[in-house]
Each structure stands twice: as structure tokens, then as C-alpha cells.
Amino acid sequence: MFPKGKIIPALQISIVLYINLNIFLFAGTFSIKGQFWASGKSIENQSDFITEIDYIPTFSAYYEYQNSRMVDLEWAYRLDRSYTGSSLNIKNEKSHRYWVRYSSNQLEARLGLQKIVFGPSQILRPLSWFDTMDLKDPTGQTDGVEAFRLRWFPSNYLSAWSWVIMNDQDTLSYGGRGELSTNHGEWGLTVHIDPSNNLNTYGQAFGPHKRLALDYRYDGFIGFWNESAMIISDGSELSLSTIGADYTLPVADGIHIMTETMYMLSVVNDSSSSHFITAFMAGYSIGMIHNFMFISNFDWDENNTYNYLRWSSSYDHFSINCMASINSGDIDNSLQLMLIYNH
């Protein structure tokens, strides 16, 4: 179940979970929930139908102390199956979450396999450092990282984060983030140092590197945000910057529109290259059940457009999602139907 080199950390987490689980079962509150989804996908120029089946059962528990203090934990296990025609392509069974958290009015400390997400961008995300969030994915799931994360809230307008993360090479990386909320917007400053030979979100191999990012969001007549990040290593430097805005058109129940543009500049030794991508999204809800989403990405350098359409019908415990991908580049067009059940 656990790869070589992960046995000791896994045992430590298991012991902590076991001790706290016994406490919670006798003195606290616990719940069992889960998410199941199944999808069928047809891709242009491919004769075989792709079927995916996934299930994530989740156990959570918490115990409240005096003075607004609380200890809680979560454990989730993910089972994935993917078939092309009648052939099994993917069979994964792995822990999806396991963490223990202590929280109070001004402090939160969490240890284990967890989700770490920050930044205001929604599609073109320079700050997607530790997650795999995708606005096109109706499940809303993301991979986690093995980490110890500490968050401190000295006031209502200021917060500070720090973290230590263990990656797949059993190497520790570390960083932190500060957030400031004012009447003129919300600011974030993030730093991270990774000494390992790892890949960043955009597939660039940097080896040991440092990351520095600044983000800002303002909500007024329109929403406006910016994420800018720099990743520096020996002999290379990658700069990414996204500017975005959104607005709700006063038509019927409201049409939400959003656009983001990302600029990427890569410098390796004495050579450099740049890239521009623009994303546009429109969303419209019909009552409380039905929702329509359209996303279009335009690659300015390759002159290609990638379009995504989704119609969702959401009920108390399940949703039906019909999706289509229409592209002008090398990526084939596709149709997909996904059923999601939450319990």
C-alpha cells in the first residue's frame, strides 16, 4: 500500500489517527460520506469507448474543547478504474486524504496528506503549485500533498501560512504565505524552496529551485485579479503572470462571464521564449437545478482554440453532467457523460 521509503511516515500517521480515532469514537462526533462517479467518453478518431469508475469513501471525526478549540481528522481512500473498450487500463487504489488538525480562533495546524490551494485565478493558474484543481472537472477533486501546514490569524485582515512538504523523492521542501485583506482588495505573497529534482505544474524540470509569487484580488463593480510567479533555478528562470476579470450580466437570472490571460516567459541559459494564452468562460444557471458552462482557451502563438461545453443537472445527492470538447489543434474532439453521486 505504501511505497518504499514511506513506511515510517505512514506508520506515524496511522498511530496518530488510531489514537485520535479512539478518542473521537467515545467522546466526539464522526461521519462517513463518499463520492462516486462513473463516466463514458467517446473521442474522435478512436473506435474504443473510454469508461471511468471512481469512488472516494471518507471518514471524518471531530472533538470540541472549551474556548472554541477543536481537534478533527479525515481519512479518504480513492479507487480508480479506467477501461478502453473492454480492456482495463488503469487500476489505482491509494489514500486520498489522511490528516489530523488542531484549530482555535487564531491558529490552525494540520498534519498529513491534505489539500493546499491558494490564489484567485480559476483557469490559468500560476499558483497551482500543490494541487490539480481543474474548473472543467465537475467532481471538484484534487490530489493532495504530504505536509505539515500551520496557519495563524492574528486579526480579521491578516493571516500567515507556513508549510513543510514531503514529495515523491522523500525530500522536504518548505515555504510560507502571507495574506492581507483591505478595503482596496486582498493581497497574497508566497515563497517556496524545493531542493529536489521535481516537476512544477507546467511540466518544466528545474531541479532544485525557488518560487516567489504575488497575487491580488479586488471585488467591486467587476472582479479583478492578478497572479504573478517566478520560478528560479540554476541556469533557468520561468515567469508567469495571469490577469483576470469577471462580471455578471443582468440578463434573466444573470450570466456570469470571466476572462483570464496568462503570459509565460522562459529563460534557459542565454535563450528565451514567451507564450500567451487567453481563457474565456460563461456560465448560466436555470433555476436551482440546471447549469450551463462554456470555456474557451485561445493559444496566441499556435493560433489554436480549445473549447469546452458542459450542461449539469444537480439534485440533492447526485448530478448528471454532459460535456463536449471541440478543438482546432492536435487534441481530438470528444463527448462525455458523467454521473456523480454523493452520500
Side-chain angles (χ1 to χ4, degrees), residues 35 37 78 132-142 293 295 308 310 321 323 338 340:
Q35 184 179 60
W37 66 95
R78 180 163 182 168
T132 54
M133 296 292 291
D134 186 353
L135 191 63
K136 299 188 297 294
D137 182 4
T139 68
Q141 295 292 342
T142 176
M293 175 188 287
I295 297 177
Y308 170 84
R310 185 176 81 207
N321 303 272
M323 295 165 280
M338 177 182 291
I340 303 173

Side-chain angles (χ1 to χ4, degrees), residues 117-121 125-129 161 163 176-181 185-191 212-218 224-229 240-242:
V117 181
F118 45 79
S121 294
R125 303 177 55 223
L127 280 173
S128 179
W129 291 355
W161 305 28
W163 56 74
R177 174 176 170 85
E179 295 180 339
L180 176 65
S181 179
E186 299 177 351
W187 298 83
L189 177 65
T190 311
V191 295
L212 176 65
L214 177 68
D215 61 271
Y216 170 76
R217 180 178 178 91
Y218 174 75
F224 171 81
W225 58 88
N226 169 253
E227 281 185 14
S228 296
L240 308 105
S241 184
T242 292

Side-chain angles (χ1 to χ4, degrees), residues 146-161:
E146 292 186 347
F148 173 72
R149 188 189 68 176
L150 185 68
R151 295 202 296 175
W152 179 46
F153 309 94
S155 66
N156 292 331
Y157 56 86
L158 182 66
S159 66
W161 305 28

Side-chain angles (χ1 to χ4, degrees), residues 24-184:
F24 292 137
L25 288 176
F26 289 99
T29 302
F30 65 92
S31 65
I32 298 175
K33 57 184 180 180
Q35 184 179 60
F36 168 86
W37 66 95
S39 70
K41 187 174 185 179
S42 176
I43 301 178
E44 186 180 22
N45 300 322
Q46 293 189 21
S47 58
D48 291 327
F49 198 69
I50 298 176
T51 305
E52 294 182 359
I53 302 174
D54 303 77
Y55 181 53
I56 303 178
T58 302
F59 173 86
S60 59
Y62 71 91
Y63 182 80
E64 294 186 7
Y65 297 91
Q66 295 179 349
N67 301 322
S68 301
R69 295 176 299 144
M70 183 179 73
V71 175
D72 64 331
L73 63 84
E74 182 175 281
W75 177 84
Y77 198 74
R78 180 163 182 168
L79 301 98
D80 299 333
R81 299 291 187 273
S82 179
Y83 298 86
T84 300
S86 59
S87 301
L88 177 63
N89 286 338
I90 298 175
K91 180 181 179 181
N92 287 333
E93 298 179 7
K94 62 179 181 179
S95 293
H96 186 63
R97 298 284 186 270
Y98 51 82
W99 52 257
V100 179
R101 175 174 59 186
Y102 168 82
S103 57
S104 65
N105 288 332
Q106 292 188 314
L107 185 69
E108 179 188 285
R110 187 163 63 180
L111 172 67
L113 181 60
Q114 57 188 282
K115 178 175 70 174
I116 300 180
V117 181
F118 45 79
S121 294
Q122 301 181 50
I123 300 176
L124 308 176
R125 303 177 55 223
L127 280 173
S128 179
W129 291 355
F130 313 123
D131 68 89
T132 54
M133 296 292 291
D134 186 353
L135 191 63
K136 299 188 297 294
D137 182 4
T139 68
Q141 295 292 342
T142 176
D143 292 339
V145 291
E146 292 186 347
F148 173 72
R149 188 189 68 176
L150 185 68
R151 295 202 296 175
W152 179 46
F153 309 94
S155 66
N156 292 331
Y157 56 86
L158 182 66
S159 66
W161 305 28
S162 62
W163 56 74
V164 179
I165 297 175
M166 177 174 288
N167 60 28
D168 294 336
Q169 289 80 38
D170 290 340
T171 303
L172 295 178
S173 60
Y174 52 92
R177 174 176 170 85
E179 295 180 339
L180 176 65
S181 179
T182 70
N183 294 330
H184 304 290

